[in-house]
Amino acid sequence: MPVLKSDTLDELDLQVLCALEIDGRASFSRIGQVLGVSDQTVARRFRRLSAEAGLRVVAVRDAAALGRDQWMLRLRCTPDSATVIADALAKRPDTQWIGLASGGTEIACMTRPRSPGEHDDLLLGKLPRTPSVVEIRAQQLLHRFYGGPTGWSRKFGALTAEQEAALRPGTWPPAGPARLEPEDEPLLAALERDGRASYPELQRATGRSESAVKRRLAALLASGAVYIDVEYHSEVLGHPVAALLWITTSPAAVHSVGEALATHQEVAFAAATAGPSHIVVTAVFPDTAGLYAYLSGPLGRLEGVQHVESMPFLRRVKQLTYQRPR
């Protein structure tokens, strides 16, 4: 796979970022040992990435592993209301990956309901009663081809296969069954704020013993119910342009097209969907010329692709858990 280039981060920055995507709770000393630098150097680079790249390490509940429905929403709004609605959606704990598109009149939003009630409240309650929402289109995610625990920065090729293997947690691949218990909520809430929270901090947040916290977190990560992810601004990696691509294929080609898309260096997320289109993709580019080159080149030439609707983001409002400032 071709190695991507960043204009603003150096090789070590990319290596640290990639290491954290593989194991977000890895100690600075462990990362430094694998990369051949000191733990103080890793700590400095971590602080730089946090300040300049918006780096945050957070826990994510894996809806696919937990067998929970997840939806991509497209909301067409009146021109003067989209920003307000997007900001309100970003404050909800059952949403992620929110972007403004179509000149600021359309919102794209991925749901992450923690219960069936949250899902019904959003799709059947709040949104239909919002007068400024002109149209709601919802497509259920059926199968993830790329994304989730597999991060986009790994496509930069910053780490060798040996370094990736040395950083990968010993519980990989996850071993089920994946499930969450009500008593996990304080632990998850703390990790959703800071995925690198120390065990003493998690002990104080949960009221459980440090050994109990260690065992439960290890079990959650081993089952795949939860994974530790990173969020950051793709702009500092030289890729400020992002777009949702709604792809229609022949039914027999859905899986082969999805698997091929997962290998494309521009693709940060790809999933099969139920609805008018068959696959949804989040892709990132250095500029609009890069978007055009991808649509007319690698994607346009992909066998089985029948139709593509591109939806460039005017502004990304929310990533995993964090509402981005305007």
Side-chain angles (χ1 to χ4, degrees):
M1 180 183 296
V3 177
L4 295 173
K5 302 294 183 182
S6 168
D7 295 330
T8 55
L9 303 185
D10 65 20
E11 182 179 2
L12 183 55
D13 288 325
L14 293 173
Q15 287 179 325
V16 171
L17 184 60
C18 187
L20 290 167
E21 284 205 322
I22 293 172
D23 185 359
R25 289 186 61 81
S27 67
F28 292 152
S29 60
R30 179 166 161 238
I31 294 173
Q33 184 178 20
V34 172
L35 301 184
V37 298
S38 70
D39 56 345
Q40 294 93 338
T41 297
V42 175
R44 285 196 299 271
R45 295 305 180 103
F46 179 87
R47 289 193 293 269
R48 178 189 172 191
L49 288 166
S50 299
E52 298 181 11
L55 173 65
R56 296 181 70 245
V57 180
V58 295
V60 178
R61 309 164 199 238
D62 194 336
L66 292 166
R68 295 179 179 175
D69 290 345
Q70 199 166 17
W71 296 72
M72 284 294 297
L73 308 181
R74 297 180 64 177
L75 312 177
R76 191 160 59 88
C77 308
T78 56
D80 60 344
S81 65
T83 298
V84 174
I85 293 172
D87 288 343
L89 284 170
K91 292 180 173 66
R92 293 181 62 100
D94 54 351
T95 63
Q96 60 184 13
W97 297 115
I98 298 173
L100 281 174
S102 303
T105 61
E106 189 167 0
I107 301 168
C109 171
M110 182 184 292
T111 69
R112 55 170 196 153
R114 294 176 295 180
S115 68
E118 278 188 334
H119 175 269
D120 293 345
D121 177 56
L122 182 62
L123 283 184
L124 305 179
K126 292 289 191 299
L127 290 175
R129 292 199 301 267
T130 305
S132 300
V133 175
V134 178
E135 181 184 21
I136 302 172
R137 284 184 280 177
Q139 296 191 207
Q140 187 177 1
L141 302 187
L142 303 178
H143 176 78
R144 184 173 60 211
F145 297 109
Y146 193 83
T150 307
W152 174 67
S153 74
R154 293 173 64 181
K155 292 186 176 181
F156 278 70
L159 299 180
T160 66
E162 291 75 17
Q163 288 173 318
E164 289 193 10
L167 287 162
R168 191 168 292 124
T171 56
W172 187 265
R179 63 174 180 267
L180 300 177
E181 305 295 344
E183 55 267 26
D184 292 326
E185 285 302 321
L187 174 61
L188 294 176
L191 290 167
E192 286 170 347
R193 290 191 297 271
D194 179 8
R196 292 183 61 83
S198 67
Y199 288 114
E201 289 171 327
L202 295 176
Q203 178 187 11
R204 290 192 293 272
T206 62
R208 302 163 77 174
S209 69
E210 188 172 326
S211 60
V213 167
K214 285 183 178 180
R215 287 195 302 270
R216 186 54 185 159
L217 179 54
L220 290 172
L221 295 174
S223 72
V226 173
Y227 60 91
I228 305 299
D229 204 353
V230 299
E231 56 185 22
Y232 51 87
H233 303 160
S234 64
E235 294 91 329
V236 297
L237 275 69
H239 289 68
V241 176
L244 273 182
L245 307 177
W246 302 91
I247 300 170
T248 303
T249 72
S250 62
V254 172
H255 192 76
S256 61
V257 169
E259 290 290 308
L261 289 168
T263 68
H264 291 186
Q265 60 184 17
E266 299 86 354
V267 172
F269 175 82
T273 64
S277 59
H278 302 113
I279 298 173
V280 63
V281 164
T282 302
V284 287
F285 309 93
D287 47 37
T288 53
L291 170 59
Y292 172 77
Y294 180 65
L295 293 174
S296 60
L299 182 57
R301 292 192 298 265
L302 194 57
E303 186 176 355
V305 172
Q306 297 177 337
H307 177 75
V308 178
E309 181 185 357
S310 59
M311 184 179 168
F313 286 142
L314 178 68
R315 180 168 69 89
R316 280 170 280 182
V317 179
K318 184 180 184 179
Q319 291 186 238
L320 294 172
T321 62
Y322 173 64
Q323 183 175 358
R324 297 181 63 172
R326 298 187 193 179

